[in-house]
Structures are given as C-alpha cells and as structure tokens.
Amino acid sequence: QVQLVESGGGLVQAGGSLRLSCAASGSIFNINVMGWYRQAPGKQRELVASITGGGSTNYADSVKGRFTISRDNGKNTVYLHMNSLKPEDTAVYYCRFVAGSGLYVYWGQGTQVSVSS
C-alpha cells in the first residue's frame, strides 16, 4: 500500500522560509507528476506547484518567484521550498503523486503552514 508522508510545515513570520517534503512509501512505480496543493479555511483546494518526471514545472501565479518545487526520483520524494512567505500562504498543504500514466493518484495527509504578520 502506498502512503505519502509529508513533513516540514509549521509557524513562521512573514518573510520567512520553510521547506516541505513528501516521501512515498510502499510499491510505487512510474511517478509521472508530483505536486503540491493547498487549502485555506473556507476555500477550495488549489494547485500550488507541480513537476513532471522530465523536470518541467508549473506554478500558481501567486507563488511564482517565491516557491520552488523539486523532486528526487531515487527517493520518490518531492520538495517545496517556500521563501518570502506571506500571511495569505497560510493553509494546509497536500502533496499529490500521479503514477501509472494517470491510473493511480495518491494524496498526502496534509501539513499545516501558518504565516504570521
């Protein structure tokens, strides 16, 4: 059974930085896309950033220039480096893996990121 385990969330002041990690355990193969989503209270879950197996990245406009997504295929791990954090970045952050050419979609349990002003 595949599980995604996230770490790295916490409380930080505006302007600070955090790094989130998400590692897959269990038998998972051919991870096509790794991504990070977030959900703030009262809002819909939204895509923050994604990265393909070939290294192509996609970012939400609100985080461009501040967040960087990267992946370590050997470790089945994705990272989200978050700089210049703002209070509006406060949310629960979820990682998502798509594998098997889209046949399998896995979600992490979520990690809280809180940014104080």
Side-chain angles (χ1 to χ4, degrees), residues 38-67:
R38 67 186 181 187
Q39 187 167 19
K43 295 188 177 181
Q44 289 188 332
R45 191 173 297 189
E46 64 176 358
L47 173 67
V48 176
S50 63
I51 184 167
T52 67
S56 296
T57 57
N58 181 45
Y59 294 94
D61 288 342
S62 59
V63 307
K64 282 181 181 176
R66 300 188 297 121
F67 291 11

Short mmCIF file of all heavy atoms in Angstrom, two decimals, residues 38-67:
data_model
loop_
_atom_site.label_atom_id
_atom_site.label_comp_id
_atom_site.label_asym_id
_atom_site.label_seq_id
_atom_site.Cartn_x
_atom_site.Cartn_y
_atom_site.Cartn_z
N ARG A 38 -2.83 23.30 -1.84
CA ARG A 38 -3.10 23.86 -0.52
C ARG A 38 -4.57 24.21 -0.40
O ARG A 38 -5.24 24.47 -1.40
CB ARG A 38 -2.23 25.09 -0.25
CG ARG A 38 -2.53 26.30 -1.11
CD ARG A 38 -1.51 27.40 -0.85
NE ARG A 38 -1.77 28.60 -1.66
CZ ARG A 38 -0.95 29.64 -1.71
NH1 ARG A 38 0.19 29.64 -1.00
NH2 ARG A 38 -1.26 30.69 -2.46
N GLN A 39 -5.02 24.21 0.84
CA GLN A 39 -6.41 24.55 1.11
C GLN A 39 -6.46 25.42 2.36
O GLN A 39 -6.08 24.97 3.45
CB GLN A 39 -7.26 23.31 1.29
CG GLN A 39 -8.73 23.60 1.40
CD GLN A 39 -9.58 22.36 1.25
OE1 GLN A 39 -9.12 21.23 1.41
NE2 GLN A 39 -10.86 22.54 0.94
N ALA A 40 -6.91 26.64 2.16
CA ALA A 40 -7.09 27.56 3.27
C ALA A 40 -8.52 27.42 3.81
O ALA A 40 -9.41 26.97 3.09
CB ALA A 40 -6.83 28.99 2.81
N PRO A 41 -8.76 27.82 5.05
CA PRO A 41 -10.11 27.70 5.62
C PRO A 41 -11.15 28.41 4.75
O PRO A 41 -10.95 29.57 4.37
CB PRO A 41 -9.96 28.37 6.98
CG PRO A 41 -8.53 28.21 7.33
CD PRO A 41 -7.79 28.32 6.03
N GLY A 42 -12.22 27.71 4.44
CA GLY A 42 -13.30 28.30 3.67
C GLY A 42 -13.03 28.42 2.19
O GLY A 42 -13.84 29.00 1.46
N LYS A 43 -11.90 27.88 1.73
CA LYS A 43 -11.55 27.99 0.31
C LYS A 43 -11.37 26.60 -0.30
O LYS A 43 -11.17 25.62 0.41
CB LYS A 43 -10.28 28.81 0.13
CG LYS A 43 -10.41 30.27 0.54
CD LYS A 43 -9.19 31.07 0.14
CE LYS A 43 -9.37 32.54 0.47
NZ LYS A 43 -8.17 33.34 0.06
N GLN A 44 -11.42 26.56 -1.61
CA GLN A 44 -11.20 25.30 -2.32
C GLN A 44 -9.72 24.97 -2.36
O GLN A 44 -8.85 25.85 -2.30
CB GLN A 44 -11.76 25.40 -3.74
CG GLN A 44 -13.28 25.43 -3.81
CD GLN A 44 -13.77 25.33 -5.24
OE1 GLN A 44 -13.10 25.72 -6.17
NE2 GLN A 44 -14.96 24.75 -5.41
N ARG A 45 -9.45 23.68 -2.48
CA ARG A 45 -8.06 23.25 -2.64
C ARG A 45 -7.56 23.74 -3.99
O ARG A 45 -8.25 23.64 -5.01
CB ARG A 45 -7.97 21.73 -2.54
CG ARG A 45 -6.56 21.20 -2.44
CD ARG A 45 -6.57 19.70 -2.18
NE ARG A 45 -7.19 19.37 -0.90
CZ ARG A 45 -7.17 18.15 -0.36
NH1 ARG A 45 -6.55 17.16 -0.99
NH2 ARG A 45 -7.76 17.92 0.78
N GLU A 46 -6.33 24.25 -4.01
CA GLU A 46 -5.77 24.79 -5.24
C GLU A 46 -4.37 24.26 -5.48
O GLU A 46 -3.64 23.93 -4.53
CB GLU A 46 -5.72 26.33 -5.18
CG GLU A 46 -4.81 26.88 -4.09
CD GLU A 46 -4.70 28.40 -4.13
OE1 GLU A 46 -5.29 29.04 -5.00
OE2 GLU A 46 -3.98 28.94 -3.25
N LEU A 47 -4.01 24.18 -6.74
CA LEU A 47 -2.66 23.77 -7.11
C LEU A 47 -1.66 24.86 -6.77
O LEU A 47 -1.88 26.03 -7.10
CB LEU A 47 -2.59 23.46 -8.61
CG LEU A 47 -1.21 23.17 -9.17
CD1 LEU A 47 -0.67 21.86 -8.62
CD2 LEU A 47 -1.25 23.15 -10.69
N VAL A 48 -0.58 24.48 -6.13
CA VAL A 48 0.50 25.41 -5.82
C VAL A 48 1.62 25.25 -6.85
O VAL A 48 2.07 26.22 -7.44
CB VAL A 48 1.05 25.17 -4.41
CG1 VAL A 48 2.25 26.08 -4.14
CG2 VAL A 48 -0.03 25.38 -3.36
N ALA A 49 2.07 24.02 -7.04
CA ALA A 49 3.15 23.75 -7.97
C ALA A 49 3.16 22.28 -8.33
O ALA A 49 2.71 21.44 -7.54
CB ALA A 49 4.50 24.14 -7.37
N SER A 50 3.67 21.98 -9.52
CA SER A 50 3.80 20.59 -9.93
C SER A 50 5.07 20.42 -10.74
O SER A 50 5.60 21.40 -11.29
CB SER A 50 2.59 20.13 -10.75
OG SER A 50 2.48 20.87 -11.94
N ILE A 51 5.54 19.18 -10.81
CA ILE A 51 6.76 18.88 -11.56
C ILE A 51 6.61 17.51 -12.20
O ILE A 51 6.14 16.55 -11.57
CB ILE A 51 8.00 18.94 -10.64
CG1 ILE A 51 9.28 18.72 -11.44
CG2 ILE A 51 7.89 17.98 -9.47
CD1 ILE A 51 10.55 19.07 -10.66
N THR A 52 6.97 17.42 -13.48
CA THR A 52 6.86 16.17 -14.20
C THR A 52 8.14 15.35 -14.03
O THR A 52 9.14 15.82 -13.49
CB THR A 52 6.64 16.41 -15.70
OG1 THR A 52 7.84 17.00 -16.24
CG2 THR A 52 5.47 17.35 -15.94
N GLY A 53 8.09 14.13 -14.53
CA GLY A 53 9.26 13.28 -14.46
C GLY A 53 10.44 13.85 -15.23
O GLY A 53 11.60 13.62 -14.86
N GLY A 54 10.14 14.64 -16.24
CA GLY A 54 11.19 15.25 -17.02
C GLY A 54 11.71 16.56 -16.45
O GLY A 54 12.62 17.17 -17.00
N GLY A 55 11.09 17.00 -15.37
CA GLY A 55 11.55 18.21 -14.69
C GLY A 55 10.80 19.48 -15.06
O GLY A 55 11.16 20.56 -14.58
N SER A 56 9.78 19.37 -15.88
CA SER A 56 9.00 20.56 -16.20
C SER A 56 8.15 20.96 -15.00
O SER A 56 7.54 20.11 -14.35
CB SER A 56 8.09 20.29 -17.40
OG SER A 56 8.86 20.02 -18.55
N THR A 57 8.13 22.26 -14.74
CA THR A 57 7.42 22.75 -13.56
C THR A 57 6.29 23.69 -13.95
O THR A 57 6.30 24.31 -15.02
CB THR A 57 8.38 23.48 -12.61
OG1 THR A 57 9.01 24.56 -13.33
CG2 THR A 57 9.45 22.54 -12.08
N ASN A 58 5.35 23.78 -13.03
CA ASN A 58 4.20 24.67 -13.20
C ASN A 58 3.89 25.26 -11.83
O ASN A 58 3.90 24.55 -10.83
CB ASN A 58 2.99 23.88 -13.72
CG ASN A 58 1.78 24.76 -13.94
OD1 ASN A 58 1.90 25.84 -14.50
ND2 ASN A 58 0.63 24.31 -13.49
N TYR A 59 3.64 26.57 -11.81
CA TYR A 59 3.38 27.25 -10.54
C TYR A 59 2.11 28.09 -10.61
O TYR A 59 1.79 28.66 -11.66
CB TYR A 59 4.54 28.19 -10.19
CG TYR A 59 5.84 27.51 -9.89
CD1 TYR A 59 6.79 27.33 -10.89
CD2 TYR A 59 6.13 27.04 -8.61
CE1 TYR A 59 8.00 26.69 -10.63
CE2 TYR A 59 7.34 26.40 -8.33
CZ TYR A 59 8.26 26.23 -9.35
OH TYR A 59 9.45 25.60 -9.08
N ALA A 60 1.43 28.19 -9.49
CA ALA A 60 0.35 29.15 -9.39
C ALA A 60 0.95 30.55 -9.47
O ALA A 60 2.06 30.79 -8.99
CB ALA A 60 -0.39 28.97 -8.06
N ASP A 61 0.21 31.47 -10.07
CA ASP A 61 0.72 32.84 -10.22
C ASP A 61 1.08 33.45 -8.87
O ASP A 61 2.03 34.21 -8.77
CB ASP A 61 -0.32 33.72 -10.92
CG ASP A 61 -0.46 33.38 -12.39
OD1 ASP A 61 0.44 32.73 -12.96
OD2 ASP A 61 -1.48 33.77 -12.98
N SER A 62 0.33 33.09 -7.85
CA SER A 62 0.52 33.71 -6.53
C SER A 62 1.84 33.31 -5.86
O SER A 62 2.27 33.98 -4.91
CB SER A 62 -0.65 33.34 -5.61
OG SER A 62 -0.74 31.94 -5.46
N VAL A 63 2.48 32.26 -6.34
CA VAL A 63 3.73 31.81 -5.71
C VAL A 63 4.94 31.89 -6.63
O VAL A 63 6.06 31.61 -6.20
CB VAL A 63 3.59 30.36 -5.17
CG1 VAL A 63 2.37 30.24 -4.26
CG2 VAL A 63 3.53 29.34 -6.30
N LYS A 64 4.73 32.28 -7.86
CA LYS A 64 5.85 32.37 -8.80
C LYS A 64 6.91 33.31 -8.28
O LYS A 64 6.62 34.41 -7.82
CB LYS A 64 5.35 32.84 -10.17
CG LYS A 64 4.67 31.76 -10.99
CD LYS A 64 4.22 32.30 -12.34
CE LYS A 64 3.51 31.21 -13.14
NZ LYS A 64 2.97 31.73 -14.42
N GLY A 65 8.15 32.88 -8.37
CA GLY A 65 9.27 33.69 -7.91
C GLY A 65 9.57 33.53 -6.42
O GLY A 65 10.60 34.02 -5.94
N ARG A 66 8.65 32.88 -5.68
CA ARG A 66 8.86 32.71 -4.24
C ARG A 66 9.01 31.24 -3.86
O ARG A 66 9.77 30.92 -2.94
CB ARG A 66 7.69 33.31 -3.46
CG ARG A 66 7.47 34.79 -3.68
CD ARG A 66 6.43 35.35 -2.74
NE ARG A 66 5.10 34.75 -2.94
CZ ARG A 66 4.44 34.11 -1.98
NH1 ARG A 66 4.96 33.97 -0.79
NH2 ARG A 66 3.23 33.61 -2.24
N PHE A 67 8.30 30.37 -4.55
CA PHE A 67 8.32 28.93 -4.24
C PHE A 67 9.07 28.19 -5.34
O PHE A 67 9.00 28.56 -6.52
CB PHE A 67 6.91 28.37 -4.15
CG PHE A 67 6.09 28.84 -2.97
CD1 PHE A 67 6.52 29.87 -2.16
CD2 PHE A 67 4.88 28.24 -2.69
CE1 PHE A 67 5.76 30.30 -1.08
CE2 PHE A 67 4.10 28.64 -1.61
CZ PHE A 67 4.55 29.69 -0.81
#
